């Protein structure tokens, strides 16, 4: 008897193959979702009370947020463990929002707003109840290997995903402390797209879409944002670091030459980056700007103390920030819920 498949014409066989592929993708997605649910504990008040984070601090009258970077691994490596602990951290920190320093999806970004990776590497991994606060995201180099426009468009689909443009800014109002009232009690956070500042990407075909971006236009916009703001705190977030105690030590010249003098001139308090898969605090002697790296959302790489290193650790985890009108407190928290570093900045006279 002639095999039934030989009766199908080429178009029918193609449609059948596409249907099988779609069913397979759906089955894989459901399987991954079930595995995530099986490995993620149900969060109750009792669970949080049993999982306190020792030595975690929160400033009075503060805005509190968590910074994560280089995380999009479909739940593999330490991504799920970091996500679980980040939910616990947001609970104890009373977190207001989350910042991503980029490389949201490895290795090649996403293809569209319907890419299953948005579900299996974001929605299903960061499913803890305290992670449904606003996420403010930046783009990393791996995001440029896929559709940047798809990540921007997802802003209109997900209530918590905020990436309205390739670069943008947000201002948050702080509470006045004591009897001191001030109209500059604000935090300005400028979110940059730093891939166009990397000279190597202009000739690397993996990042061909970077070449169409106008770096000078973005820099002019950034300087306008910084110069027109009277905020007490000015923070800038970008994917690529200006200084690194990790793998890319000595290889950050493009970003440093582009940004450092500009941020120093505008009295920016801190530059927050990812790209390096670790947790760092760097500060150059004689410079005002503090450099923080939070890129340990899934994997880690070795670090080494340099002349500018204040802290560097190759541990999976995130950065917690608590800020009020007088102080900015940074704490590094690993995937086991341990505070492994903390430092405090004092507001400048502005």
């Amino acid at each position: 008897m002639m095999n039934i498949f030989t009766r199908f014409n080429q178009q029918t066989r193609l449609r059948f193959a596409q249907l099988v592929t779609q069913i397979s993708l759906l089955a894989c997605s459901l399987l991954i979702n079930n595995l995530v649910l099986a490995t993620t504990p149900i969060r109750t008040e009792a669970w949080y009370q049993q999982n306190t984070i020792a030595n975690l601090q929160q400033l009075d009258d503060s805005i509190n947020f968590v910074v994560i970077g280089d995380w999009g691994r479909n739940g593999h490596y330490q991504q799920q463990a970091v996500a679980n602990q980040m939910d616990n951290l947001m609970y104890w920190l009373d977190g207001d929002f989350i910042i991503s320093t980029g490389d949201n999806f490895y290795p090649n970004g996403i293809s569209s707003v319907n890419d299953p990776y948005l579900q299996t590497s974001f929605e299903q991994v960061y499913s803890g109840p305290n992670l449904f606060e606003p996420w403010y995201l930046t783009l990393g180099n791996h995001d440029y290997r896929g559709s940047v426009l798809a990540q921007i468009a997802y802003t209109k689909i997900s209530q918590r995903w905020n990436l309205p443009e390739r670069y943008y800014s947000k201002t948050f109002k702080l509470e006045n402390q004591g009897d001191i009232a001030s109209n500059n009690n604000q935090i300005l956070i400028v979110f940059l797209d730093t891939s166009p500042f990397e000279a190597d990407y202009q000739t690397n075909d993996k990042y061909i879409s970077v070449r169409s971006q106008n770096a000078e236009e973005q820099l002019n916009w950034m300087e306008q944002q910084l110069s027109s703001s009277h905020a007490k705190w000015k923070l800038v977030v970008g994917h690529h670091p200006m200084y690194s105690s990790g793998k890319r030590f000595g290889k950050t010249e493009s970003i440093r030459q582009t940004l450092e003098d500009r941020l120093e001139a505008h009295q920016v308090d801190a530059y927050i980056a990812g790209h390096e898969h670790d947790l760092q605090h760097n500060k150059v002697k004689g410079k005002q700007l503090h450099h923080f790296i939070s890129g340990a959302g899934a994997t880690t790489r070795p670090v080494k103390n340099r002349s500018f290193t204040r802290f560097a650790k190759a541990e999976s985890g995130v950065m917690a920030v608590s800020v009020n009108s007088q102080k900015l407190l940074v704490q590094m928290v690993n995937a086991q819920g341990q505070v492994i570093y903390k430092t405090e900045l004092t507001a400048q006279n502005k």
Side-chain angles (χ1 to χ4, degrees):
M1 181 177 178
M2 185 179 293
N3 189 310
I4 189 171
F5 287 108
T6 63
R7 300 177 184 175
F8 288 5
N9 60 34
Q10 186 175 5
Q11 185 178 10
T12 304
R13 290 199 300 272
L14 178 60
R15 288 177 178 174
F16 182 77
Q18 290 172 336
L19 178 61
V20 170
T21 301
Q22 290 173 353
I23 293 173
S24 299
L25 287 172
L26 178 60
C28 288
S29 179
L30 290 172
L31 176 60
I32 292 171
N33 190 38
N34 288 335
L35 288 172
V36 169
L37 290 174
T39 57
T40 304
I42 299 299
R43 300 299 165 93
T44 63
E45 185 65 31
W47 187 93
Y48 292 108
Q49 295 304 321
Q50 293 169 4
N51 288 273
T52 57
I53 300 177
N55 302 316
L56 182 71
Q57 292 179 253
Q58 179 184 347
L59 299 177
D60 294 336
D61 302 319
S62 57
I63 288 176
N64 307 289
F65 58 93
V66 168
V67 183
I68 184 172
D70 302 80
W71 45 267
R73 299 283 187 173
N74 222 25
H76 296 301
Y77 301 96
Q78 289 295 302
Q79 186 190 3
Q80 189 63 66
V82 172
N84 292 345
Q85 191 57 243
M86 190 165 74
D87 172 71
N88 191 37
L89 175 59
M90 285 286 285
Y91 174 88
W92 288 108
L93 194 67
D94 193 19
D96 296 293
F97 55 88
I98 296 161
I99 287 176
S100 169
T101 58
D103 277 359
N104 306 319
F105 300 99
Y106 285 93
N108 298 314
I110 58 172
S111 61
S112 73
V113 293
N114 298 314
D115 194 318
Y117 219 15
L118 280 160
Q119 298 301 314
T120 58
S121 198
F122 176 63
E123 299 290 359
Q124 294 168 7
V125 173
Y126 302 101
S127 59
N130 300 290
L131 301 179
F132 283 82
E133 299 294 342
W135 285 58
Y136 298 104
L137 300 105
T138 57
L139 296 165
N141 52 299
H142 284 271
D143 300 311
Y144 259 97
R145 296 188 193 181
S147 173
V148 167
L149 293 179
Q151 292 202 38
I152 292 172
Y154 199 61
T155 301
K156 296 183 179 180
I157 294 175
S158 170
Q159 189 175 39
R160 58 175 169 167
W161 183 278
N162 292 275
L163 181 59
E165 302 288 348
R166 294 172 191 263
Y167 50 90
Y168 60 100
S169 67
K170 294 288 294 183
T171 299
F172 301 90
K173 184 173 176 54
L174 293 163
E175 292 187 33
N176 292 318
Q177 289 204 303
D179 297 326
I180 302 174
S182 173
N183 58 10
N184 71 338
N185 274 351
Q186 299 174 330
I187 313 169
L188 170 69
I189 307 181
V190 176
F191 299 87
L192 297 179
D193 176 13
T194 56
S195 288
F197 306 148
E198 271 289 349
D200 290 346
Y201 296 172
Q202 301 301 321
T203 56
N204 189 328
D205 287 345
K206 289 188 295 186
Y207 306 114
I208 192 169
S209 61
V210 171
R211 299 174 199 171
S212 63
Q213 300 308 304
N214 189 326
E216 199 62 35
E217 184 177 284
Q218 181 181 177
L219 290 171
N220 290 338
W221 170 88
M222 178 194 76
E223 294 211 62
Q224 190 278 328
Q225 296 293 308
L226 295 172
S227 63
S228 63
S229 173
H230 299 287
K232 180 69 66 72
W233 296 99
K234 294 180 180 179
L235 311 178
V236 175
V237 180
H239 181 63
H240 298 84
M242 286 185 255
Y243 293 91
S244 175
S245 303
K247 174 185 175 182
R248 293 179 175 86
F249 169 73
K251 301 176 181 179
T252 60
E253 186 176 356
S254 289
I255 299 296
R256 185 168 65 253
Q257 288 184 347
T258 302
L259 293 179
E260 185 173 36
D261 288 347
R262 288 176 168 91
L263 301 196
E264 288 279 343
H266 291 289
Q267 296 185 302
V268 172
D269 299 284
Y271 177 67
I272 302 170
H275 202 43
E276 294 288 56
H277 298 179
D278 47 50
L279 300 168
Q280 298 183 34
H281 176 202
N282 301 310
K283 189 173 187 298
V284 178
K285 186 177 181 180
K287 300 283 188 180
Q288 169 187 301
L289 189 64
H290 289 260
H291 300 259
F292 296 99
I293 295 177
S294 180
T299 64
T300 58
R301 291 191 292 242
V303 296
K304 184 177 180 179
N305 284 343
R306 306 294 181 178
S307 61
F308 49 74
T309 307
R310 291 199 174 183
F311 170 80
K313 197 80 169 178
E315 286 193 37
S316 296
V318 297
M319 184 171 89
V321 180
S322 183
V323 55
N324 61 22
S325 61
Q326 298 175 349
K327 297 178 181 179
L328 186 149
L329 172 67
V330 172
Q331 300 168 97
M332 303 294 188
V333 182
N334 66 17
Q336 289 72 48
Q338 300 166 326
V339 178
I340 57 176
Y341 177 73
K342 64 177 62 179
T343 190
E344 196 172 81
L345 281 60
T346 302
Q348 304 172 42
N349 296 322
K350 299 179 181 178

